[in-house]
Amino acid sequence: MRKILNQPDKAVPEMLSGMAKAHAGIIEVLPGTQAVVRADAPVRGKVALITGGGSGHEPAHGGFVGKGMLDAALAGAVFCSPPLDDAIASLERVDGGAGVLFIIKNYTGDILLFDMAEEEAADRGIPVRKALVADDVAVDDREGTTGRRGVAGTVLVHKIAGAMADRGASLDDVHRVAMKVIENVRTMGMALTPCLVPGRDKPNFELAPGEMEIGIGIHGEPGVRREPLKSAREIVSEMMDRITGDLPFKAGDRVVAMVNGMGATPLMELYVIYNEVESYLAGKGIAVARPMVGEYMTSLEMAGFSITLLRADDELLSLFDHPCAAPAWRQA
Amino acid sequence: MRKILNQPDKAVPEMLSGMAKAHAGIIEVLPGTQAVVRADAPVRGKVALITGGGSGHEPAHGGFVGKGMLDAALAGAVFCSPPLDDAIASLERVDGGAGVLFIIKNYTGDILLFDMAEEEAADRGIPVRKALVADDVAVDDREGTTGRRGVAGTVLVHKIAGAMADRGASLDDVHRVAMKVIENVRTMGMALTPCLVPGRDKPNFELAPGEMEIGIGIHGEPGVRREPLKSAREIVSEMMDRITGDLPFKAGDRVVAMVNGMGATPLMELYVIYNEVESYLAGKGIAVARPMVGEYMTSLEMAGFSITLLRADDELLSLFDHPCAAPAWRQA
């Protein structure tokens, strides 16, 4: 694990500078902050969507800022929650007078940040609703005090709630579809290698060749169990059993199926994995209405992937298909 | 380097199956072949574009098949030229009566394949023109008998010639813009790690931590020299000196600037690199008219990147901007 950077402590601001230059006209970085905002914010009369969290998950979340998706994405240091000042600056920049939805991944630091930001919004008379994403089925509620982690399913909350806001819906309605996605989305991940935070000497866990870690999170944290590496078919089957059993997903359901690369897994492997996911679902009578294969929420240079399933009805699919200008959004 | 696959020798067909399922309606795999073709081929009256080469460079080339780009992409085994039978089957499927352009990366096996395919086309009365891409400035003409390698700049040939064909241009005109891109595009790559062909025991070269290899190709071949790992700024400066000095690119030029990940390099690093590329060019008075940051032509799980510059005039930029349905094409 070797990195092409200038200085570890400059990696996030320099990345954000590169993003803003590469996607000029769509996004910009708020001066003095690490917040990515829509270049045309505020959009008067539209509900604004703000999310945020640690960096290291690119393209999440800055790549999902743009018309039809997010209005602002706060970028903390790698795997660290963003500062309150950036949340306040973003609120003031993107509030269009119709209220703000906070989309929050279920981590203690992020929850605390957005609780404080909600108070700041109240001081400014800005109505706020919150949507807490906790889609990782690898972690049972009983295993930790904070419950399930928010992972790649968060991208679908951004997309669908963002489309609802773009259509001019009220804050209550945007919040309603965000919660509908959250109730119907499930994710699980695995890794072949850990990742390394810039500036650190060693990763949070080690894996020997021929081993894999099932149930990893997106912050370099180890998974729920270690096993010998199996075939793509066996790995997918094991993960899909857990995911589909959780909601549960049933024959006749239509789903959005996302195979998400964790950062260092070649597209060749992601397509081999998707091939297995589609076959598994076909065997259960579940139809993939919208496939997604690529990198949506990564963990630096971790090798591995996650599978996300969203049970979708006509309303959610219509919002999924709504046009979107965010640089990293890709329907497939 | 560990892989999530079923069997190494099934990796390519299973990947193609996954691609076709994920992008149904846009692409399909010709039965009995490893050729990806437009689902709506042939398009009557349109010049057809066919490319191909070894697998392991995903999303190239199958991800660039679709309206406004390629009509067919032949996928060989990993890093091996495709078979003639697949070329013949593709010719017969995509020929729309207006002739066919072959886009060929400069490797002996690929050239031989398309020479044979040209004879087969002649037997069938199908007019063919060929465009040979040799954009890698790391390799001097004098260093090998075959000259410069064709690398990531090939994607811009696909895009721009594909747009010209989509506008209804003649075979001569489609060939003319393909050659115009080829004359004006230059690329150079570097790596931090090698890659491993599925089923093999070890990579073609090894790199110690703290080393980098400058001038690598896209087939796991070593570069032109090995150096201690430097900062992103120093690496970019060294590569850009070579690229811009080659054409040469001059103050006042407008360019398409692509930062292409080789497979395992996180988007965070690619944006840090793009930030340096843009600064370097600004310092030379060269304007980035169209930035591209992402994975376009990879080398399995190699960590590293390439930089491609295309000197573009109004005609090339207009074709660059032409709408495109290929799954992996992404502007911005």
Side-chain angles (χ1 to χ4, degrees):
Chain A
M1 274 167 303
R2 309 144 204 200
K3 295 177 192 289
I4 305 164
L5 297 171
N6 290 309
Q7 291 169 245
D9 62 337
K10 292 282 168 55
V12 173
E14 291 183 356
M15 164 188 79
L16 295 173
S17 172
M19 283 188 78
K21 287 174 182 170
H23 309 295
I26 300 177
I27 59 176
E28 59 185 52
V29 179
L30 265 185
T33 76
Q34 293 186 172
V36 175
V37 296
R38 271 180 69 161
D40 61 351
V43 182
R44 298 280 165 215
K46 188 186 85 71
V47 173
L49 278 67
I50 301 179
T51 194
S55 292
H57 306 304
E58 292 70 31
H61 296 281
F64 299 119
V65 174
K67 179 172 164 57
M69 217 161 165
L70 298 172
D71 293 81
L74 318 174
V78 172
F79 300 162
C80 296
S81 293
L84 180 61
D85 284 352
D86 288 11
I88 296 169
S90 296
L91 261 176
E92 292 177 342
R93 170 65 187 267
V94 306
D95 169 38
V100 177
L101 179 73
F102 290 161
I103 300 171
I104 309 160
K105 299 196 301 302
N106 189 29
Y107 300 100
T108 307
D110 291 357
I111 291 169
L112 187 63
L113 164 72
F114 283 106
D115 280 349
M116 292 187 294
E118 186 179 24
E119 289 176 25
E120 296 286 340
D123 290 347
R124 288 160 178 77
I126 303 172
V128 162
R129 300 293 300 268
K130 294 186 291 188
L132 186 68
V133 190
D135 53 321
D136 188 352
V137 301
V139 183
D140 267 335
D141 289 337
R142 63 177 177 275
E143 284 173 7
T145 51
T146 55
R148 288 180 163 176
R149 301 173 291 208
V151 288
T154 310
V155 175
L156 297 173
V157 182
H158 298 342
K159 177 65 182 77
I160 288 171
M164 194 73 179
D166 195 54
R167 286 185 179 169
S170 69
L171 180 56
D172 280 350
D173 274 345
V174 174
H175 180 258
R176 177 185 62 77
V177 298
M179 295 311 297
K180 187 170 167 181
V181 174
I182 288 167
E183 285 156 17
N184 287 283
V185 70
R186 298 293 186 275
T187 298
M188 189 164 173
M190 66 80 70
L192 294 185
T193 68
C195 61
L196 184 68
V197 173
R200 295 227 187 123
D201 290 335
K202 55 178 187 156
N204 278 9
F205 64 100
E206 301 275 2
L207 274 167
E211 280 187 334
M212 64 177 176
E213 186 93 17
I214 298 280
I216 46 97
I218 55 171
H219 297 95
E221 64 266 48
V224 293
R225 71 179 174 280
R226 189 163 301 190
E227 299 181 4
L229 180 57
K230 297 176 185 168
S231 71
R233 187 162 307 147
E234 291 168 308
I235 298 168
V236 166
S237 177
E238 188 175 327
M239 290 166 68
M240 290 292 281
D241 283 350
R242 180 93 172 227
I243 295 168
T244 57
D246 192 85
L247 193 57
F249 293 82
K250 296 190 193 116
D253 282 348
R254 288 173 301 165
V255 296
V256 176
M258 174 198 288
V259 172
N260 171 57
M262 300 303 291
T265 295
L267 203 46
M268 173 181 285
E269 295 174 36
L270 298 183
Y271 279 121
V272 168
I273 291 160
Y274 179 72
N275 194 46
E276 297 299 336
V277 167
E278 203 273 356
S279 295
Y280 179 100
L281 289 169
K284 297 250 178 192
I286 298 170
V288 180
R290 300 292 183 279
M292 301 172 71
V293 180
E295 292 185 345
Y296 295 93
M297 186 171 296
T298 63
S299 189
L300 295 169
E301 72 287 82
M302 183 180 277
F305 69 99
S306 63
I307 303 169
T308 297
L309 294 187
L310 167 65
R311 182 168 60 187
D313 60 10
D314 288 341
E315 179 184 42
L316 296 186
L317 291 177
S318 165
L319 291 163
F320 182 94
D321 292 340
H322 186 78
C324 175
W329 177 250
R330 181 184 296 203
Q331 299 187 216
Chain B
M1 277 168 301
R2 310 146 203 198
K3 295 178 192 289
I4 305 165
L5 297 171
N6 290 309
Q7 292 169 245
D9 62 337
K10 293 282 170 54
V12 174
E14 291 183 355
M15 164 189 76
L16 294 173
S17 172
M19 283 187 78
K21 287 175 183 169
H23 310 295
I26 299 177
I27 59 177
E28 58 184 52
V29 179
L30 267 184
T33 77
Q34 292 185 176
V36 176
V37 296
R38 270 179 69 160
D40 60 352
V43 182
R44 297 284 166 210
K46 188 186 85 72
V47 172
L49 278 67
I50 302 181
T51 195
S55 292
H57 307 303
E58 292 70 31
H61 295 283
F64 299 120
V65 174
K67 181 173 165 54
M69 217 161 165
L70 300 170
D71 294 80
L74 318 173
V78 172
F79 300 161
C80 296
S81 294
L84 180 61
D85 284 351
D86 288 11
I88 296 170
S90 296
L91 261 175
E92 292 178 342
R93 170 65 187 268
V94 307
D95 170 38
V100 176
L101 179 72
F102 291 162
I103 300 172
I104 309 160
K105 298 196 302 299
N106 188 28
Y107 299 100
T108 306
D110 290 358
I111 291 170
L112 187 63
L113 164 72
F114 283 105
D115 280 350
M116 293 187 293
E118 188 178 22
E119 290 177 24
E120 296 286 339
D123 290 348
R124 289 162 178 76
I126 303 173
V128 161
R129 300 293 300 270
K130 294 186 290 188
L132 186 68
V133 190
D135 54 321
D136 188 353
V137 302
V139 182
D140 268 334
D141 288 337
R142 64 179 178 275
E143 284 174 7
T145 51
T146 55
R148 288 181 164 175
R149 302 173 291 206
V151 288
T154 310
V155 175
L156 297 173
V157 182
H158 297 341
K159 177 64 182 79
I160 288 171
M164 194 73 178
D166 196 54
R167 286 183 179 171
S170 68
L171 179 57
D172 280 351
D173 274 345
V174 173
H175 180 258
R176 177 185 62 76
V177 299
M179 295 312 297
K180 187 170 168 181
V181 174
I182 288 168
E183 285 156 17
N184 287 283
V185 70
R186 298 294 185 275
T187 298
M188 189 163 173
M190 66 79 70
L192 294 185
T193 68
C195 61
L196 183 68
V197 173
R200 293 226 187 123
D201 289 335
K202 55 178 185 154
N204 278 9
F205 64 100
E206 299 277 2
L207 276 167
E211 280 188 332
M212 64 177 175
E213 185 95 16
I214 297 280
I216 47 95
I218 56 171
H219 298 95
E221 65 267 49
V224 294
R225 68 177 176 281
R226 189 163 302 189
E227 299 181 4
L229 180 58
K230 296 175 185 167
S231 71
R233 187 162 306 147
E234 291 167 308
I235 298 168
V236 166
S237 176
E238 188 174 328
M239 292 167 68
M240 291 292 280
D241 283 350
R242 180 94 174 227
I243 296 168
T244 57
D246 192 84
L247 194 56
F249 292 83
K250 296 187 193 118
D253 282 347
R254 289 173 300 165
V255 297
V256 176
M258 174 198 289
V259 172
N260 170 58
M262 299 303 291
T265 296
L267 203 47
M268 172 180 284
E269 295 174 37
L270 298 182
Y271 278 120
V272 168
I273 291 159
Y274 180 73
N275 194 46
E276 297 298 336
V277 168
E278 205 273 356
S279 295
Y280 178 101
L281 289 169
K284 298 250 178 191
I286 298 170
V288 180
R290 301 291 183 279
M292 300 171 72
V293 181
E295 293 185 344
Y296 295 92
M297 187 171 297
T298 62
S299 191
L300 294 169
E301 71 287 84
M302 182 180 277
F305 69 99
S306 62
I307 303 171
T308 297
L309 294 187
L310 167 65
R311 184 169 59 188
D313 60 8
D314 288 342
E315 180 184 42
L316 295 187
L317 291 178
S318 165
L319 291 163
F320 182 94
D321 292 339
H322 186 78
C324 176
W329 177 253
R330 180 185 298 204
Q331 298 186 213

